[in-house]
Amino acid sequence: VQLQASGGGLVQAGGSLTLSCAASGSIFTINAMGWYRQALGKQRELVATITSGGVRNYADSVKGRFTISRVYAQNTVSLQMNSLKPEDTAVYYCNAEIQVAIGVFRNDWGQGTQVTVSS
């Protein structure tokens, strides 16, 4: 199973970016998918998740600014980021809880994509 993330970059404060992540490989079904981020010198933290039933969860720091969505048939998840702030600067990681066979689950991470917000 592979998670391929894309869409990071450099943007000015107040700008927008969209991150995308596609899961591929031997996938039976995907439960939750989400995005996490890790700023320099800090621990990795949850940004947003979305379950197989469409329930969304956001970190308080991004509520109202970020929107997570999925295309279930394509095993993809996206993160629309608006009103970006310098404190959003981090490496963003895609995550998925994947069932590869009946009763067999795994947790996978993408390679990370850098988001830099200039002031």
Side-chain angles (χ1 to χ4, degrees):
V1 176
Q2 286 188 326
L3 294 178
Q4 183 67 43
S6 61
L10 173 64
V11 65
Q12 288 188 331
S16 299
L17 281 175
T18 300
L19 305 182
S20 297
C21 177
S24 62
S26 180
I27 298 171
F28 184 67
T29 188
I30 298 179
N31 295 334
M33 298 187 80
W35 292 92
Y36 292 72
R37 67 187 181 188
Q38 187 167 17
L40 195 62
K42 295 187 177 181
Q43 290 188 331
R44 191 173 299 188
E45 63 177 5
L46 178 147
V47 176
T49 60
I50 182 169
T51 69
S52 56
V55 177
R56 295 170 171 83
N57 180 47
Y58 295 95
D60 288 342
S61 59
V62 307
K63 283 180 181 177
R65 300 188 297 122
F66 291 9
T67 301
I68 190 169
S69 59
R70 280 175 71 169
V71 178
Y72 293 86
Q74 298 177 1
N75 291 333
T76 60
V77 63
S78 297
L79 185 69
Q80 174 66 43
M81 304 184 293
N82 298 326
S83 303
L84 283 161
K85 304 175 181 179
E87 50 263 44
D88 294 317
T89 295
V91 177
Y92 283 69
Y93 296 91
C94 174
N95 175 266
E97 298 171 2
I98 299 173
Q99 185 175 3
V100 296
I102 294 177
V104 181
F105 297 86
R106 54 187 286 168
N107 192 277
D108 283 279
W109 294 90
Q111 82 280 17
T113 183
Q114 177 71 45
V115 171
T116 303
V117 184
S118 63
S119 57

